[in-house]
Amino acid sequence: MSNVEVEFYWRPGCGFCAALDRPMSKSGFTVRKINIWEDPAAAARVREVANGNETVPTVIVGSTAMVNPSFAEVEAAVKAASAG
């Protein structure tokens, strides 16, 4: 659908992450899943966009960062990034 990469920051045991992962995995988007518990740089990136917190899921599409977004918000960001 799009050549825009979706950075999907998550951690094990996160119900909100699992809920967002289901539609994301079916979306056809190019999704790079990053476990913040295994990647200290990823955890730091999440803290940068989440007011110092390690709140997941955090999704970054281009220059748009979203903390605990709905799938509709992710989809809108991918469409906007694809159009630009």
Side-chain angles (χ1 to χ4, degrees):
M1 175 179 185
S2 164
N3 61 351
V4 174
E5 183 179 72
V6 177
E7 297 174 35
F8 180 18
Y9 296 89
W10 70 285
R11 65 167 173 76
C14 169
F16 294 106
C17 298
L20 184 59
D21 187 40
R22 285 189 283 276
M24 292 273 277
S25 64
K26 297 175 184 170
S27 67
F29 298 155
T30 302
V31 179
R32 183 163 52 104
K33 288 179 65 177
I34 306 134
N35 180 344
I36 66 166
W37 284 359
E38 294 178 351
D39 186 338
R45 180 107 159 100
V46 168
R47 287 192 303 273
E48 281 176 23
V49 300
N51 298 319
N53 300 306
E54 290 184 3
T55 306
V56 288
T58 289
V59 177
I60 300 175
V61 179
S63 61
T64 302
M66 298 163 282
V67 179
N68 197 14
S70 67
F71 178 70
E73 290 171 309
V74 174
E75 195 172 34
V78 169
K79 286 179 182 170
S82 298

